[in-house]
Amino acid sequence: MREVATEAGVSVATVSRVLSGKGNVTEPTRRLVEEARHRLLQGGVRRPDASAGRAGTIFVRCPYELTDYFGPIVSAVAETLHLHHYEMVLDAGGAAYHDDVLRRLPTRPDIAGAVLVLPPESHSEIEALRSSRMPFVVIDPRIAVPRDVLSVSAANFSGALQVTRHLIALGHRRIGVISAAPALAAGDARLAGHAAALAQVGELVDESLVLRGEPVISTGEDLGGQLLDLAQAPSAIVCFNDKVAVGVLHAAERRGCQVPRDVSVVGFDDIDISRAASPRLTTVRQPLQEMGRMAVTSLMRVIEGQRAEALHVELATELVVRGSTGPAPSQAGVRAPLATKDKPVDIGRLAHA
């Protein structure tokens, strides 16, 4: 199962669900796993011989602290490279953010390829690396990458769409949003998903309720406080980051607002802090480890001379309903749909609740 997961670029748990016929697995993912299993059984996948030593070195750039968001991605990248018998050179930490490393990378004969996690570089710098013909893949692009560059991300549009549909089903219409600043491709996609959900019920986004800030707790405390202090405060606040959502919980507590009775709060990512918060956060689960595995699998195919089947891969997100969302205050008498503890819920059921 571990080799199938590596070949398909998914988690071992996903492979287990497919092979056992149990669990909720999308049809495209099921086909991906079954095809990978078939290739391995037929001997159609070339694996480096471990006894012959390492196959090469992959440069992994993640110029951020390896926290509960970036940590799982980089760990999955390292694990998958190990299974492919590649060594990893890691360029991580905030000090590496402004390093002009991409320009120097093609001159290094020891590097067989690169994995770039949320690279801060501009479109032209990414384009220059592509022109050098060095194989590389981008995980969670900050900006739209060139069309012929490999990239892996989460389905941000559909994740936000699910969140806002969930809130609409609970009676919420006046919904605040705290997005990222500066604007990121992921944040823009999430705003689009939020707007699409509102449009489906004949509502428009109130731009006065859309604020931007850094993805830290203090942003949620400050901007969440601004939203809650409005004469017409929103009945729900969507945060495109779990840490920001926790900050909003703090802001609500300071103002004597009870969550979710007075205001519902939603996060995004499903990192550890979402389960440690009180109440536990309703959030969107991103497939962080699968993103790392899929990125390496795609890169390996290119390095081995195979044609990439898909250049831009989006992995499914899941809405996880917990205790931070409930009926809008005007709908307090309406019973909220219940979800199994920490389990993804049926969005269709919620939409028709």
Side-chain angles (χ1 to χ4, degrees):
M1 287 196 297
R2 200 174 183 85
E3 288 194 355
V4 172
T6 299
E7 176 63 21
V10 300
S11 68
V12 175
T14 297
V15 174
S16 177
R17 289 197 295 271
V18 171
L19 297 185
S20 66
K22 300 177 181 178
N24 183 23
V25 181
T26 64
E27 187 57 32
T29 300
R30 187 180 302 279
R31 287 200 305 270
L32 192 68
V33 170
E34 290 175 346
E35 290 170 0
R37 178 173 177 268
H38 178 74
R39 286 195 299 271
L40 286 167
L41 289 175
Q42 296 300 315
V45 178
R46 295 186 289 112
R47 297 289 183 195
D49 184 359
S51 63
R54 295 296 183 181
T57 300
I58 302 298
F59 187 88
V60 179
R61 176 160 166 77
C62 182
Y64 312 95
E65 299 297 324
L66 299 184
T67 58
D68 40 12
Y69 179 83
F70 294 107
I73 295 175
V74 173
S75 294
V77 167
E79 178 185 63
T80 311
L81 286 174
H82 176 76
L83 291 173
H84 282 278
H85 304 290
Y86 276 80
E87 291 185 338
M88 180 177 80
V89 172
L90 178 61
D91 179 43
Y97 189 89
H98 297 290
D99 191 7
D100 188 19
V101 66
L102 294 195
R103 182 178 57 83
R104 303 190 304 270
L105 207 53
T107 65
R108 295 184 54 175
D110 59 315
I111 301 299
V115 177
L116 311 179
V117 183
L118 192 62
E121 285 79 14
S122 66
H123 186 280
S124 60
E125 289 172 304
I126 298 293
E127 175 65 29
L129 183 62
R130 184 202 63 80
S131 299
S132 74
R133 300 193 178 278
M134 166 171 278
F136 71 98
V137 60
V138 178
I139 300 177
D140 196 9
R142 176 181 292 270
I143 57 175
V145 296
R147 293 182 59 185
D148 53 352
V149 168
L150 284 173
S151 69
V152 178
S153 62
N156 292 294
F157 178 92
S158 65
L161 182 75
Q162 292 173 28
V163 162
T164 303
R165 280 180 175 174
H166 166 59
L167 294 173
I168 288 171
L170 293 172
H172 297 277
R173 293 298 184 274
R174 188 167 173 79
I175 302 172
V177 176
I178 302 179
S179 187
L184 303 177
D188 291 344
R190 293 170 192 175
L191 280 174
H194 169 68
L198 286 174
Q200 289 171 356
V201 293
E203 299 284 344
L204 296 176
V205 175
D206 185 340
E207 294 297 335
S208 68
L209 298 181
V210 178
L211 305 179
R212 294 181 182 272
E214 294 296 323
V216 293
I217 291 176
S218 60
T219 293
E221 294 172 337
D222 296 339
L223 299 186
Q226 291 181 32
L227 291 171
L228 293 171
D229 289 340
L230 292 172
Q232 285 188 292
S235 64
I237 300 176
V238 175
C239 305
F240 292 151
N241 177 276
D242 284 341
K243 293 179 181 179
V244 173
V246 169
V248 174
L249 294 181
H250 294 172
E253 183 180 19
R254 292 190 187 119
R255 288 160 176 77
C257 296
Q258 292 189 20
V259 177
R261 188 196 68 182
D262 302 317
V263 61
S264 289
V265 180
V266 181
F268 211 104
D269 292 338
D270 194 32
I271 58 178
D272 289 344
I273 198 173
S274 68
R275 294 178 290 280
S278 180
R280 290 152 68 95
L281 278 175
T282 292
T283 186
V284 174
R285 178 175 297 156
Q286 291 208 72
L288 301 178
Q289 292 184 323
E290 285 84 350
M291 287 163 63
R293 293 190 183 100
M294 176 65 80
V296 172
T297 300
S298 299
L299 180 63
M300 292 299 103
R301 290 173 180 165
V302 173
I303 290 176
E304 293 175 357
Q306 301 179 39
R307 183 176 180 179
E309 296 178 1
L311 290 176
H312 300 283
V313 178
E314 282 194 355
L315 300 179
T317 52
E318 295 175 314
L319 173 65
V320 181
V321 176
R322 298 191 180 106
S324 68
T325 52
S330 61
Q331 301 291 318
V334 179
R335 182 185 178 93
L338 298 178
T340 304
K341 182 180 180 182
D342 287 8
K343 293 293 184 182
V345 299
D346 186 335
I347 301 304
R349 178 172 64 83
L350 282 175
H352 294 88

